[in-house]
Amino acid sequence: MTDRLAGTVLITGAAGGIGSEVAEILERRGCRVVAADLRADGPGREPIALDVTDDDAVAEAVGEIGPLDGLVLAHGLTSLGPAIGTTVDAARTVIEVNLMGAISVATAALPGLVGRRGRIAVMSSVAGFAPLVHRTAYSASKHGLHGWFESLDAEQPEVSVTMVAPSFTATGIEDRAVHRAEGGAGDWSTTGEILEAV
């Protein structure tokens, strides 16, 4: 870990899965970790409750934390099932949380990150650059992350952006799906070995 990241890091989706693991690692490395999630239950850190779809709450929280040296965007939702049968509302919710929530947090944090030449890590997925059957909304949201954050990386030399694109990982995201097709068509199918978040 370089000195450039030693400082204050905000992590979204920090109550579980990849976000929780990253928070523990960065805290052990000496960073001040602010662990944000819908529920504030990140023991041993600075936990805050944060709804990434509430722009005003996001701006207020980032302002209270102060300038960031790092931002890890690890929150996310999915829907399971064919595009036919997945409601527009379900797709909108997934895109609002995964894409627009990430944009909201990054937009609020950017002035401080620019001033401190900070770093952003975005938890995307292989679904961010490849099709993913029965997860059309999830894939769309992850494709959107690549478009927005890779463009940010190209236009903003003071901030380093890293896109992280793991394959299928055991995070429990499928248990919180906002939509699941009836009759088993939305079962969580995978290709290859399921990775652990650790």
Side-chain angles (χ1 to χ4, degrees):
M1 190 70 57
T2 66
D3 291 339
R4 193 172 166 201
L5 193 56
T8 300
V9 181
L10 171 62
I11 303 176
T12 63
I18 294 172
S20 178
E21 295 295 331
V22 171
E24 290 183 10
I25 290 167
L26 291 180
E27 188 176 56
R28 285 199 305 267
R29 301 253 182 154
C31 292
R32 173 194 173 204
V33 174
V34 181
D37 209 301
L38 279 174
R39 59 188 194 277
D41 62 355
R45 308 177 197 121
E46 293 182 46
I48 62 169
L50 183 63
D51 179 353
V52 296
T53 66
D54 184 337
D55 297 338
D56 292 336
V58 166
E60 181 179 352
V62 171
E64 289 177 356
I65 295 166
L68 297 174
D69 299 283
L71 173 63
V72 180
L73 298 165
H75 63 274
L77 286 177
T78 194
S79 63
L80 299 172
I84 295 178
T86 299
T87 66
V88 173
D89 282 344
R92 183 178 287 113
T93 297
V94 171
I95 291 169
E96 183 70 22
V97 171
N98 295 0
L99 175 58
M100 297 309 300
I103 292 172
S104 179
V105 177
T107 298
L110 268 173
L113 286 165
V114 167
R116 297 169 79 94
R117 299 188 68 84
R119 295 183 177 187
I120 300 173
V122 184
M123 292 301 153
S124 178
S125 164
V126 292
F129 52 83
L132 188 58
V133 174
H134 290 179
R135 258 95 63 206
T136 49
Y138 179 80
S139 184
S141 71
K142 296 300 185 176
H143 273 73
L145 287 175
H146 282 265
W148 201 88
F149 283 94
E150 289 174 11
S151 295
L152 172 66
D153 193 38
E155 77 177 31
Q156 189 57 260
E158 292 85 0
V159 176
S160 172
V161 178
T162 300
M163 302 300 298
V164 182
S167 183
F168 293 101
T169 306
T171 63
I173 191 173
E174 70 282 1
D175 298 329
R176 302 183 303 275
V178 297
H179 166 83
R180 186 182 295 270
E182 296 180 8
D187 288 347
W188 193 52
S189 59
T190 65
T191 300
E193 182 181 356
I194 298 177
L195 305 174
E196 294 295 328
V198 179

